[in-house]
Amino acid sequence: INAVNDAPSFDAIANQVVNEDASSQNVMITSISPGPSDEAAQSIISKSATSSNTALIPNPSITGTGATATLTYQPMADASGSATITVTVQDDGGTANSGSDTRTRTFTITVNAVNDAPIVTVTSPNGGEFWKGEHAVTWSATDADNDVLTIDVQYSANNGVDWTHISFPPNTGSYGVDTTLLAGDSSQYLIRVIASDGTNTVQDDSDAVFTVDNTAPETGNDYLDKNNTWQNTVQTMTLT
C-alpha cells in the first residue's frame, strides 16, 4: 500500500467587518498542522494570502511559525466594499500517488463606507495684506466622497473675537468682497471659510491678520503706492 500525503489543515477563518480608513488589522490562523498524526514529522513550508480586490484590500501578509499564525491586512484609504481573501497552507509531503500538499480556505472582508470630512484652506488673505475697495477671498475646499459642499465666508475685524457672515457662495474657490461694506478700517481683520458636506463641518481662518483701510486721501497730493501705502508728495520749501 503506497503512502498518500494528506493535505495540511487549519481552522476556518471568520468573516471580517471593518470601517473605511481602518488601521492595520490582525486575524489569527489557528490549529495549523501538516495533516493527521501519521504525518506529524512533516513541516509546513509556506503560508500565503491573496485578495480578490487589491484596490480595496492589498494581499495580506502572514507571519508566525507553529500551530498559530497572524494574518495582517489594512484597507486602502477612502475605499469601501468587500474582498474575498484566500489563505493557502502548504506542507512538504509532496503530491505523489495523487496526494495533496496544500489546503485553502477563504473568508470575506467587508469595509463599511464612512463619510469623510471635507478639507478647506483659506489661500487669501493669509496675513499682512492691505485691502482697500474690492478684493477676492480665495480658498480650496475638497471632499473625498465628492459631496457637494456648502461654503460660508465670514470675517472678523478684531482678530477673531467676533465673526460676521458675509455670504454663502458656490464652491468656486473665489468670492469678491467689497471692503467698504465691512466693519470699518482696522489692522486686525481675519477671513474664515467654513465648508460642510451636510454631516461634517470644517473651517479654516487666515493665518494672520490683515489690514482694511478705506480712508480717503486728505489732499490731491496723496497717492497709493505699489505697496498699498498712502504717500504725500507735498514738499516744504524754505525761502531766504
Side-chain angles (χ1 to χ4, degrees):
I1 299 176
N2 294 322
V4 176
N5 183 34
D6 293 295
S9 62
F10 57 97
D11 291 337
I13 303 170
N15 294 333
Q16 308 289 306
V17 179
V18 296
N19 288 333
E20 179 183 327
D21 299 323
S23 59
S24 179
Q25 305 289 307
N26 291 329
V27 177
M28 303 309 296
I29 304 173
T30 56
S31 300
I32 302 170
S33 77
S37 58
D38 63 331
E39 297 179 357
Q42 294 180 11
S43 299
I44 300 297
I45 59 175
S46 70
K47 298 181 286 289
S48 63
T50 58
S51 169
S52 66
N53 185 358
T54 54
L56 176 66
I57 305 288
N59 291 333
S61 63
I62 299 179
T63 57
T65 59
T68 302
T70 303
L71 180 148
T72 302
Y73 71 91
Q74 183 171 5
M76 297 292 285
D78 299 322
S80 60
S82 63
T84 298
I85 307 300
T86 300
V87 178
T88 301
V89 174
Q90 182 181 16
D91 65 25
D92 62 357
T95 58
N97 302 317
S98 299
S100 176
D101 63 354
T102 60
R103 172 82 68 184
T104 62
R105 290 188 182 275
T106 62
F107 68 99
T108 300
I109 300 174
T110 300
V111 181
N112 294 325
V114 175
N115 186 28
D116 292 283
I119 298 173
V120 62
T121 303
V122 174
T123 54
S124 179
N126 246 339
E129 296 88 348
F130 188 104
W131 277 16
K132 176 183 177 67
E134 293 188 1
H135 284 268
V137 172
T138 62
W139 68 89
S140 171
T142 59
D143 187 90
D145 304 312
N146 295 317
D147 294 329
V148 175
L149 299 180
T150 299
I151 301 297
D152 181 5
V153 178
Q154 302 181 0
Y155 77 88
S156 171
N158 51 15
N159 197 17
V161 176
D162 302 298
W163 292 92
T164 302
H165 167 74
I166 299 176
S167 179
F168 292 109
N171 186 25
T172 59
S174 180
Y175 180 75
V177 174
D178 183 353
T179 62
T180 65
L181 303 179
L182 303 183
D185 296 343
S186 171
S187 62
Q188 300 295 302
Y189 269 88
L190 294 170
I191 287 291
R192 171 174 290 173
V193 176
I194 301 171
S196 175
D197 63 6
T199 301
N200 300 298
T201 299
V202 295
Q203 67 185 42
D204 188 48
D205 300 343
S206 304
D207 291 342
V209 296
F210 65 99
T211 297
V212 171
D213 188 349
N214 286 292
T215 304
E218 295 181 359
T219 73
N221 296 310
D222 290 346
Y223 68 95
L224 196 64
D225 68 14
K226 64 180 181 180
N227 296 316
N228 286 321
T229 301
W230 287 109
Q231 303 290 344
N232 191 292
T233 59
V234 174
Q235 298 181 0
T236 301
M237 300 178 62
T238 302
L239 300 178
T240 60

